[in-house]
Amino acid sequence: MDKQNLTGTLVLVQPDLELNPDMKKGMIGVLTYARSETENYVRFPGAGEAFYPAGQVMMLKDKQQVFEDLTHNGSSMPLDDFKAMYKIMLLQDRGTSQALYAALAIANDNPGIQEKVLESISPEQKRELANSYGR
């Protein structure tokens, strides 16, 4: 697997959190520090910073994965879900921070596609991030 530095990645706090002491569920922020499985710092525009376990911090899946899911399963999904996934894929292709922010916002607004377009920041990626800092 390629070493991927997650610092600076736009992320979404899991929209369906049961315990939400910071009241930031469903908010989009920037991952500032991926420290461990239980401590990942996210900065929110105008709303400070908070930390979350890795499973509660979601990022967009690779656009190729979204494309393949649309190609293989698009005909069997509801039209609104297909449109939302297609928009996300197009925004990811654009690659700007504004486009990625918009893609995360679409994912947040469409619970039916969240599992298809979002993934938690993985422990393996965080370990590789820690190794890159150790060099």
Side-chain angles (χ1 to χ4, degrees):
M1 175 176 232
D2 293 27
K3 290 191 177 179
Q4 181 180 10
N5 186 341
L6 296 176
T7 301
T9 301
L10 283 170
V11 294
L12 173 72
V13 176
Q14 189 175 3
D16 57 356
L17 278 179
E18 290 181 21
L19 296 175
N20 187 27
D22 295 335
M23 304 306 279
K24 292 185 178 13
K25 72 177 181 180
M27 287 186 71
I28 299 169
V30 176
L31 185 67
T32 57
Y33 184 51
R35 180 175 175 164
S36 68
E37 185 63 30
T38 59
E39 194 174 2
N40 299 280
Y41 292 85
V42 179
R43 178 166 298 279
F44 301 96
E49 188 172 51
F51 68 92
Y52 300 92
Q56 295 177 357
V57 180
M58 312 300 285
M59 64 183 200
L60 290 168
K61 287 184 178 179
D62 183 68
K63 65 182 173 186
Q64 189 62 37
Q65 287 178 288
V66 176
F67 175 74
E68 287 173 9
D69 195 10
L70 279 172
T71 303
H72 295 108
N73 305 315
S75 61
S76 64
M77 66 177 62
L79 182 60
D80 288 339
D81 289 352
F82 180 88
K83 287 179 181 180
M85 283 182 68
Y86 187 73
K87 286 178 188 176
I88 288 171
M89 185 188 66
L90 292 176
L91 288 165
Q92 284 180 294
D93 199 38
R94 199 175 288 170
T96 65
S97 58
Q98 286 180 326
L100 296 176
Y101 189 95
L104 282 168
I106 291 170
N108 188 35
D109 294 341
N110 293 279
I113 65 165
Q114 288 174 357
E115 192 172 293
K116 296 175 180 171
V117 298
L118 296 174
E119 62 187 357
S120 69
I121 57 174
S122 73
E124 183 176 325
Q125 287 173 321
K126 286 188 299 184
R127 265 194 299 281
E128 289 174 358
L129 176 62
N131 291 341
S132 68
Y133 279 127
R135 290 187 186 152

